[in-house]
Amino acid sequence: MGLIEMASGKSIWKGIDYCDKKKVISWECVGAYEYHGLVSGSDGAIYDVHINKEHPKKSTCTCPFAEGRRVVCKHMIALYFTAEPHAKEDFLEEAKRWEAEEEARELEHYHDLEKYVKSLSKSELQDQLLDALIQLEERRNYW
Ligand SMILES: [Zn+2]
């Protein structure tokens, strides 16, 4: 599993934002798969970040979220995408593809729903509508 696969979506998008805002103050390549860098945090703190692409669990960051835990934080992602801009482009391309697929799935679902509704007789429609309204109301009371 790579750094990206280990990170939460939130960490990835924040990491991209940090990368775009040039929050990575300095970085260097310290091995075939490793980078070390300094990344400025949202509170003005500067975090010491080390990433290992081959063994993501060996990556470290001194921020409160990642310190002492085997997690991938936004500072690691920011460092990774700053050191390897093509990896960021690849990720953004893939995200766009997922979004398009998701939209296509949603559209298909609505078409199926429309087909289903149009296939119902008037009395079936009345029953279904009543059920749906009751469900809506119950949900509203529940929340
Ligand atoms: Zn961090």
Side-chain angles (χ1 to χ4, degrees):
M1 225 178 8
L3 275 169
I4 297 298
E5 288 78 17
M6 264 187 69
S8 70
K10 202 174 153 191
S11 290
I12 295 174
W13 290 109
K14 286 215 165 168
I16 288 173
D17 189 46
Y18 272 39
C19 176
D20 292 343
K21 287 180 177 159
K22 313 245 178 280
K23 296 253 192 185
V24 178
I25 300 161
S26 66
W27 64 271
E28 57 181 337
C29 194
V30 292
Y33 303 100
E34 292 169 75
Y35 295 103
H36 178 256
L38 296 175
V39 182
S40 79
S42 50
D43 49 5
I46 291 169
Y47 301 118
D48 197 86
V49 189
H50 183 94
I51 55 171
N52 185 323
K53 288 193 299 172
E54 205 182 25
H55 303 287
K57 284 184 178 168
K58 289 186 180 167
S59 303
T60 58
C61 176
T62 53
C63 77
F65 174 71
E67 190 151 42
R69 299 170 66 204
R70 290 185 167 201
V71 294
V72 172
C73 68
K74 58 191 173 187
H75 310 106
M76 295 174 191
I77 298 296
L79 173 60
Y80 176 45
F81 284 162
T82 299
E84 297 190 6
H86 67 88
K88 185 179 96 171
E89 295 312 314
D90 287 351
F91 174 80
L92 291 174
E93 277 298 310
E94 212 163 312
K96 229 184 275 173
R97 215 163 39 234
W98 291 331
E99 208 173 301
E101 277 171 17
E102 186 59 39
E103 254 169 54
R105 253 196 306 274
E106 217 165 90
L107 204 62
E108 202 182 295
H109 175 65
Y110 286 136
H111 281 154
D112 286 347
L113 263 183
E114 194 181 353
K115 226 188 282 170
Y116 169 68
V117 169
K118 285 185 173 163
S119 75
L120 297 173
S121 69
K122 189 179 172 185
S123 67
E124 282 171 331
L125 273 172
Q126 286 173 337
D127 284 347
Q128 296 271 7
L129 180 61
L130 188 61
D131 280 351
L133 287 176
I134 288 170
Q135 264 183 36
L136 259 183
E137 214 144 281
E138 279 171 355
R139 205 168 300 167
R140 197 174 307 146
N141 291 337
Y142 179 75
W143 292 112

